[in-house]
Amino acid sequence: MLSLQKNYPLYPDMEVDLVTRLMHFSQGAYFILSIVLCCLQWAKDKENALQRWLAWLFTMLMMINILSFILFFVWAPFEDNIYETDFLQMTAIYPCVLLLNEAAHPNTMKWSKVGWGFLPYVVMWMLFRFGGYTLLYNIAGYASVVVAVVGICYTIYSMAMYHQMLRDNYSSIEMKDLRWLGGILMAFSGLLLLWVIACFFTSGMVAMTYNLLSCAIWSALYFFCNRQKVIVFFEKDNSQDIAEVTSSIEEKDSDCNSNHHESVEPQYHFAVRFIQLMERERYYLNPDLSLADLAAELNTNRTYLSRYINNAMHCTFYDYVNNLRIAYARKLLVETDDKIDVVAMQSGFNSITTFRRMFSKTYGMTASEYRKKEHNG
């Protein structure tokens, strides 16, 4: 909760300008929202570590807002409490960064990491307030900005790796991908910028925007984190497998074509059975098909199968399976009069949006336009 004045009376003079009133409203909205989100998150059945850590983060934000409220409206232990509220806000930056990265790196957020990120601010505040080291306030502020920027950049990199691994292991990525996290990172960057501006310029409009943007970010985190299906791709002892798969990803071509398999078949004992499963038995019609499922059916491991798909088909598992689904959907569009959404479901898609996007990308027109063209031709 960002405030620009110090030691507000509990009932301020009503003769204030509109911007100040809006700033007070935004402070109240942020304060109430932090309590509501905290209570809602703890009341939910938390299915994974991401949701549990979100509950603790909301608890921390609620406590920061309560302490800030007390310092501004109830009790003023120091002459200028603005420094205390700034230090409180700084302590929240590192846990926020850890939570965002937890979405791309499941089960990596630990209490030890949170503690080591929190401790320096406590030490700097004590030295600043009781030791007279006023420079530490500026150092803490600059360090917070650096931590946030580095954390945002690393999370962007982690997202790219996560999405690549996702496409190599799953044929359907709805509710598993992290496209929403990109928007959160952009908003978080804007919030950081507003916080920096507020440190140098006194502006009620900036404070109001900061508080309202904070409300939007925490509300979005509540929605998306509780909807997200957390995926752990490999166990810890498979680090070599990860390196091998990543290496093959970097070497493959972007062209996805099942006709490529002939030149590399002899290297893989399951190649004939793979083609039989996918192209004759239409194993791809299973909407929840994953690389692990297919590897188990072929009596091989995921790394070996992933390498085969990358080298033989020159594409990811996701692209290969969905290209087969699109080809089958094209056949249904020509041979049946089923509705588009029915065709999509029968072809193995569990999202009509994904089907429409991939069909248009493949054939340069919508499914309805393609059916009309075939029937008129």
Side-chain angles (χ1 to χ4, degrees), residues 31 309 363:
F31 180 82
I309 295 174
Y363 294 103

Side-chain angles (χ1 to χ4, degrees), residues 162-163 166-167 170-180 227-231 287-289 318 322 325 345 348-358:
Y162 176 92
H163 282 135
L166 193 65
R167 295 174 73 91
Y170 290 91
S171 62
S172 299
I173 61 176
E174 288 77 18
M175 312 294 286
K176 302 183 187 78
D177 68 344
L178 295 175
R179 286 178 295 178
W180 59 269
R227 190 189 69 163
Q228 181 72 19
K229 293 182 179 179
V230 174
I231 304 298
D288 298 317
L289 180 64
Y318 174 86
N322 283 290
R325 290 171 175 170
M345 297 300 111
F349 289 95
N350 54 17
S351 168
I352 186 65
T353 302
T354 301
F355 168 73
R356 293 181 187 278
R357 183 177 67 251
M358 293 202 68

Side-chain angles (χ1 to χ4, degrees), residues 7-27:
N7 301 333
Y8 290 110
L10 189 57
Y11 299 100
D13 186 357
M14 295 302 295
E15 294 184 2
V16 293
D17 58 69
L18 178 62
V19 172
T20 303
R21 290 188 181 186
L22 291 174
M23 183 182 69
H24 291 165
F25 169 80
S26 69
Q27 290 169 352

